[in-house]
Amino acid sequence: MNKRENSTTEEGPETKEDNTSLTSPNDQEQDEPYIHKVGVPPKQNLLKEIKSGVKETFFPDDPLRSFKDQTKARKFILGIQAVFPILEWGRDYNLTKFRGDLLAGLTIASLCIPQDIGYAKLANLDPQYGLYSSFVPPLIYALMGSSRDIAIGPVAVVSLLLGTLVQAEIDSTTNPEAYRRLVFTATFFAGITQATLGFLRLGFLIDFLSHAAIVGFMGGAAITIALQQLKGFLGIKKFTKKTDIINVMQSVFGSIQHGWNWQTIVIAATFLFFLLFAKFVGKKNKRLFWVPAVAPLTSVVLSTLLVYITHAEKEGVAIVKHIDQGINPPSVKELYFSGEYLVKGFKIGVVAGMIALTEAIAIGRTFASMKDYQIDGNKEMVAMGFMNVVGSMTSCYVATGSFSRSAVNYMAGCQTTVSNIVMSIVVFLTLEFLTPLFKYTPNAILSAIIINAVINLVDLHAALLIWKIDKFDFVACMGAFLGVIFFSVEIGLLIAVSISFAKILLQVTRPRTAILGNIPRTSVYRNIQQYPEAIKVSGLLIVRVDSAIYFSNSNYIKERILRWLADEEELTKKSYQNRIQFLVVEMSPVTDIDTSGIHALEELNGSLKKREIQLILANPGPVVIHKLHASKFPDLIGQDNIFLTVADAVSSCNPKMMDEA
């Protein structure tokens, strides 16, 4: 292969023009390509370099940009608006938007009231605490949140997580007051965790939990939640407090002779069918979105009337019996700020806060992309944090964004967070005036509502897609799923986080490398495995490193390249081809390199010299070339052995190989 083949195009006239453009101004030979050299960026001031790195890591969106060149009064107003976005968009609020928010708020209120009562039981709390958590937190979020579509309140997964973790410390049956206090304490620290992440702009930490792990965890949690509802669905009185599938099924089948209540099963099965049918109707016709939204409240009303009229509670049908009337009582004095439960509340709060935050941010981003607007992840964290801190002081437990309610909110035509305010007002009226009406509500209907709500968390389509795309991701997904259903929620969460970190470490420590070949009649070099038509260049081995080179992977990269080289040398001997004289390392994907990486390159160069092979670098980035020059590595391999492109490197090698021949 000659120089012209490496740096020109297929057709004659274009070849001449391209060669002219590549020719050095001082060189009149148009058949000789001009070899571009890699420029070295000017050395940056150390303080500026650190400042730039910190800004890019923690302030990539440059939140202070709007404060530049503003008066002090204007800066104050902008600062207040940054904390309370409602003050900004509220100026343009009108009656048309309010109509959309009013309809959406009423719709999600009809969905949240029965769900909240059921979720409170899932968290081993009295029913009113679920309603409390849909009154205060949505009001705080409406003032501070930036998502227009998210609906705030208790959710099934976090309720189960809190109920499991707190129950492991304090028995909710024997010591309900201490249990409740620990729940409030965990909620307080969940809010502190969320707000701290937002203030310090550390939201990227929640991205360490991969999408695959979340799909598996949510699916496992959904099945666990559904299995827990068999107690209310079948009317079982004595039920295991463990959440794994083995203990639950043993408890279910162990009570089949004397523990099941047929009246309860009829009520639960009938209304579950009704709820599933309503959901089917809503999916078939998007205009009927309100049908599955109002179905839970309708079910509660009808089942309550049925039990009241027939006095089914006398036949063993378990009912709610009592919900405290009135709005949230203060709970500041109930928080544990000392003693052994302080640390336990902190640990539980951090876990619950991170899970709640992950779910809320995912929901917010989903609906923001559907409506083509941006949400500030860090502001969302601060808003979530404040609402949970305030909630912990007003008898609420951890609240976050609910996917089912947010979807209904979106389809109902919500315009702003005012829909959360409307929902909160409806919950307030319910607490003040309507809670006595829930006295005869059967627990079976609450179980049916929860089962209906969590079914969508089992995303088989997403799991199948993960299997098709990435088998390691599927392992993470199934690991989290099986961990939740066979062990516990916290074990499943631990497995999900562990596998996510393992994947990151594997990708960092074992980056991909590839051998490149020339695409015939072009100056393009591509992976020979991806492009079978790519041809290896005789006497050269061209390798691409698809990762930054750090202490964690530098030795692996060096050894991987040497293994490539050994394999190629063996092949050339068998096929009687020219021996390898040059190793070209394509470094365009190498975004950074540290001292260990440079040391590995030095060792690689030493190994190559013993084999009489010249090391050549192609297209190192500005950060990499700056560090290479700082370490005087170009002097080690030769200043003329760093090129702009692989084509330039190959063109420079051809004459040398011809001279040796």
Side-chain angles (χ1 to χ4, degrees):
M1 180 177 293
N2 57 38
K3 301 170 188 175
R4 184 182 299 277
E5 288 176 331
N6 286 319
S7 57
T8 59
T9 55
E10 285 185 57
E11 300 180 9
E14 293 184 5
T15 299
K16 184 176 181 180
E17 183 180 344
D18 286 346
N19 275 340
T20 302
S21 65
L22 289 171
T23 302
S24 169
N26 299 323
D27 190 353
Q28 298 301 321
E29 297 181 16
Q30 294 193 357
D31 62 341
E32 191 72 23
Y34 175 66
I35 304 298
H36 296 268
K37 296 297 181 181
V38 176
V40 182
K43 189 175 181 180
Q44 194 174 8
N45 178 275
L46 178 61
L47 185 61
K48 288 183 178 180
E49 188 174 351
I50 295 174
K51 182 179 178 182
S52 175
V54 171
K55 182 178 179 181
E56 184 61 29
T57 302
F58 298 103
F59 302 95
D61 53 350
D62 196 5
L64 301 179
R65 186 181 303 164
S66 59
F67 286 80
K68 292 181 179 179
D69 303 322
Q70 301 288 344
T71 63
K72 290 183 178 180
R74 182 59 181 165
K75 287 180 180 179
F76 176 77
I77 294 173
L78 291 173
I80 295 295
Q81 289 178 350
V83 177
F84 301 102
I86 192 172
L87 298 177
E88 182 178 359
W89 56 259
R91 293 176 299 176
D92 301 321
Y93 198 72
N94 52 45
L95 185 60
T96 303
K97 291 181 178 180
F98 177 69
R99 288 173 182 168
D101 288 333
L102 179 63
L103 175 61
L106 292 173
T107 307
I108 59 176
S110 67
L111 177 62
C112 86
I113 291 171
Q115 281 187 349
D116 291 344
I117 296 172
Y119 292 160
K121 286 186 172 294
L122 200 59
N124 300 317
L125 293 168
D126 292 333
Q128 64 268 18
Y129 292 101
L131 295 173
Y132 293 161
S133 302
S134 279
F135 172 46
V136 173
L139 292 176
I140 304 298
Y141 182 83
L143 299 176
M144 303 182 67
S146 59
S147 172
R148 306 172 195 166
D149 304 280
I150 198 168
I152 299 298
V155 295
V157 174
V158 177
S159 298
L160 175 67
L161 184 66
L162 269 180
T164 303
L165 296 179
V166 179
Q167 181 71 32
E169 304 295 337
I170 303 173
D171 192 322
S172 60
T173 305
T174 58
N175 197 351
E177 183 180 352
Y179 178 91
R180 187 174 62 248
R181 291 184 63 187
L182 186 55
V183 168
F184 294 155
T185 305
T187 301
F188 174 81
F189 284 112
I192 292 295
T193 301
Q194 294 168 337
T196 302
L197 290 175
F199 275 125
L200 299 181
R201 307 188 71 80
L202 297 175
F204 59 85
L205 292 177
I206 65 174
D207 293 331
F208 280 98
L209 196 60
S210 68
H211 171 70
I214 292 174
V215 169
F217 175 75
M218 289 296 186
I223 291 178
T224 300
I225 290 167
L227 291 174
Q228 290 288 306
Q229 299 316 302
L230 292 177
K231 176 184 178 182
F233 197 94
L234 302 174
I236 301 173
K237 295 181 179 179
K238 293 183 179 180
F239 198 75
T240 180
K241 292 185 178 180
K242 296 182 179 180
T243 60
D244 63 283
I245 189 171
I246 296 174
N247 279 290
V248 169
M249 298 314 295
Q250 285 178 346
S251 183
V252 169
F253 291 112
S255 60
I256 192 170
Q257 292 183 344
H258 305 290
W260 293 15
N261 181 275
W262 71 266
Q263 294 97 331
T264 300
I265 297 173
V266 169
I267 293 172
T270 301
F271 283 101
L272 179 60
F273 176 80
F274 170 70
L275 291 168
L276 293 173
F277 178 74
K279 184 179 288 187
F280 173 78
V281 171
K283 286 183 177 179
K284 277 291 184 180
N285 190 339
K286 297 297 182 183
R287 294 182 180 179
L288 298 177
F289 67 89
W290 53 271
V291 173
V294 301
L297 188 59
T298 304
S299 300
V300 168
V301 172
L302 293 177
S303 62
T304 302
L305 284 174
L306 179 65
V307 171
Y308 178 74
I309 293 170
T310 61
H311 291 288
E313 77 278 4
K314 296 180 180 179
E315 302 297 327
V317 175
I319 59 176
V320 172
K321 292 182 180 178
H322 176 72
I323 299 179
D324 286 352
Q325 192 171 0
I327 60 172
N328 309 32
S331 56
V332 180
K333 294 182 179 179
E334 295 189 41
L335 300 177
Y336 286 114
F337 287 123
S338 61
E340 60 175 319
Y341 292 128
L342 172 62
V343 176
K344 293 177 180 178
F346 174 76
K347 291 179 180 179
I348 296 171
V350 169
V351 174
M354 293 291 282
I355 293 298
L357 203 55
T358 301
E359 186 172 357
I361 296 297
I363 292 169
R365 287 173 178 169
T366 299
F367 289 104
S369 64
M370 292 170 69
K371 283 190 176 180
D372 194 24
Y373 69 92
Q374 299 293 322
I375 64 170
D376 188 325
N378 291 295
K379 285 184 180 178
E380 287 293 287
M381 294 175 201
V382 173
M384 295 280 174
F386 267 91
M387 77 179 191
N388 279 314
V389 168
V390 175
S392 69
M393 300 177 181
T394 53
S395 299
C396 304
Y397 72 95
V398 181
T400 186
S402 164
F403 188 83
S404 59
R405 273 173 266 174
S406 298
V408 170
N409 198 31
Y410 169 80
M411 290 186 290
C414 69
Q415 299 294 317
T416 67
T417 54
V418 170
S419 61
N420 275 285
I421 297 176
V422 174
M423 178 190 72
S424 182
I425 292 172
V426 174
V427 172
F428 163 76
L429 295 174
T430 302
L431 283 167
E432 282 290 342
F433 305 108
L434 303 180
T435 51
L437 300 179
F438 291 99
K439 178 180 179 180
Y440 289 96
T441 300
N443 289 336
I445 192 61
L446 301 178
S447 297
I449 289 171
I450 292 175
I451 292 172
N452 176 66
V454 300
I455 285 176
N456 289 339
L457 294 179
V458 183
D459 197 339
L460 295 177
H461 176 73
L464 182 61
L465 186 62
I466 290 168
W467 166 258
K468 291 180 179 179
I469 294 174
D470 191 323
K471 300 299 185 290
F472 193 92
D473 261 358
F474 186 76
V475 171
C477 178
M478 291 307 299
F481 176 80
L482 296 175
V484 172
I485 66 171
F486 281 106
F487 296 99
S488 63
V489 177
E490 58 266 36
I491 293 297
L493 181 60
L494 181 61
I495 291 174
V497 173
S498 299
I499 295 179
S500 296
F501 270 101
K503 183 180 180 182
I504 294 171
L505 291 174
L506 187 62
Q507 290 176 337
V508 170
T509 59
R510 295 294 182 267
R512 296 184 184 277
T513 57
I515 293 180
L516 306 185
N518 176 246
I519 303 296
R521 296 182 297 279
T522 72
S523 60
V524 177
Y525 291 80
R526 290 293 182 265
N527 187 342
I528 60 173
Q529 292 183 342
Q530 184 179 0
Y531 298 90
E533 70 272 22
I535 302 171
K536 295 179 184 177
V537 182
S538 178
L540 281 82
L541 175 62
I542 307 171
V543 178
R544 187 182 67 215
V545 179
D546 293 333
S547 167
I549 305 177
Y550 291 129
F551 65 93
S552 57
N553 60 21
S554 56
N555 284 328
Y556 170 79
I557 291 172
K558 179 194 69 175
E559 292 168 2
R560 175 72 265 190
I561 292 175
L562 289 175
R563 286 200 300 272
W564 282 126
L565 185 61
D567 293 342
E568 288 300 309
E569 286 180 329
E570 188 176 344
L571 286 174
T572 55
K573 287 179 182 179
K574 288 181 180 180
S575 57
Y576 300 101
Q577 296 178 357
N578 295 332
R579 73 175 186 86
I580 303 295
Q581 300 177 52
F582 298 92
L583 172 66
V584 180
V585 181
E586 154 71 305
M587 300 189 71
S588 55
V590 181
T591 55
D592 200 359
I593 190 169
D594 65 2
T595 52
S596 297
I598 293 174
H599 185 62
L601 289 181
E602 291 171 349
E603 290 180 346
L604 175 64
N605 183 61
S607 299
L608 294 176
K609 279 187 175 181
K610 293 176 183 178
R611 306 183 191 195
E612 297 182 348
I613 297 174
Q614 176 63 53
L615 175 62
I616 295 176
L617 305 183
N619 196 24
V623 175
V624 174
I625 193 65
H626 174 75
K627 292 183 178 181
L628 290 177
H629 276 277
S631 66
K632 302 189 184 303
F633 184 77
D635 296 336
L636 196 63
I637 64 171
Q639 293 282 352
D640 294 333
N641 288 316
I642 300 178
F643 296 91
L644 179 65
T645 65
V646 173
D648 286 346
V650 174
S651 295
S652 71
C653 293
N654 281 333
K656 298 175 184 177
M657 289 190 292
M658 291 176 65
D659 290 343
E660 286 194 13

